[in-house]
């Protein structure tokens, strides 16, 4: 008589990869010079400099094609909305990070932080366009 060892099957390991989604890269359109020349309006005031603030700006500008932020001032930034993007005044992404060279305008009261939670918050007379 032959005795067989019990058969055991080991299930494949369960993996739960931690993922973070950088929402800003999903809809970042670039940096634009100018505020009023670009057709931007500020009907909703400032938002907090954070991912939550950027997404709040997006939500408030829901009736517009684009939202953007300009002039980070420590804890808050201008939230602005537009239906158009001026294609002739685009800037390198670094301008929305406070390190454009040369600067469009001195920083003055737009002291940063310029990049938080993966979002760019613009600079003085520079709109981060989403």
């Amino acid at each position: 008589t032959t005795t067989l060892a019990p058969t055991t099957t080991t299930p494949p390991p369960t993996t739960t990869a931690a993922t973070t989604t950088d929402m800003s890269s999903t809809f970042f359109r670039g940096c634009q010079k100018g505020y009023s020349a670009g057709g931007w309006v500020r009907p909703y005031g400032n938002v907090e400099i954070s991912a939550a603030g950027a997404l709040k700006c997006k939500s408030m500008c829901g009736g517009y094609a684009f939202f953007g932020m300009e002039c980070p001032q420590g804890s808050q930034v201008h939230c602005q909305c537009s239906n158009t993007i001026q294609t002739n005044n685009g800037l390198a992404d670094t301008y929305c990070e406070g390190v454009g060279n040369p600067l469009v305008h001195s920083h003055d009261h737009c002291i940063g932080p310029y990049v938080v939670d993966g979002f760019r918050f613009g600079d003085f007379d520079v709109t981060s366009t989403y």
Side-chain angles (χ1 to χ4, degrees):
T1 307
T2 306
T3 304
L4 299 173
T7 305
T8 60
T9 56
T10 305
T14 304
T15 58
T16 53
T19 59
T20 55
T21 303
D22 180 1
M23 292 296 293
S24 64
S25 64
T26 304
F27 44 86
F28 180 67
R29 308 293 180 141
C31 295
Q32 302 291 311
K33 180 182 181 300
Y35 159 66
S36 59
W40 294 95
V41 294
R42 296 179 182 157
Y44 307 110
N46 293 348
V47 295
E48 176 186 335
I49 296 176
S50 65
L55 294 174
K56 180 179 180 182
C57 182
K58 176 187 179 191
S59 176
M60 291 188 302
C61 291
Y64 294 85
F66 307 100
F67 77 98
M69 292 158 294
E70 180 185 356
C71 190
Q73 303 161 46
S75 63
Q76 61 181 354
V77 63
H78 300 314
C79 168
Q80 45 202 47
C81 316
S82 183
N83 282 317
T84 61
I85 292 178
Q86 299 292 324
T87 57
N88 62 343
N89 62 356
L91 299 168
D93 293 352
T94 54
Y95 283 85
C96 284
E97 299 166 0
V99 291
N101 188 13
L103 293 175
V104 170
H105 190 287
S106 62
H107 294 300
D108 290 350
H109 62 288
C110 304
I111 58 172
Y114 301 98
V115 179
V116 174
D117 296 337
F119 283 90
R120 294 174 179 93
F121 290 92
D123 200 350
F124 196 115
D125 202 31
V126 176
T127 300
S128 59
T129 305
Y130 291 87

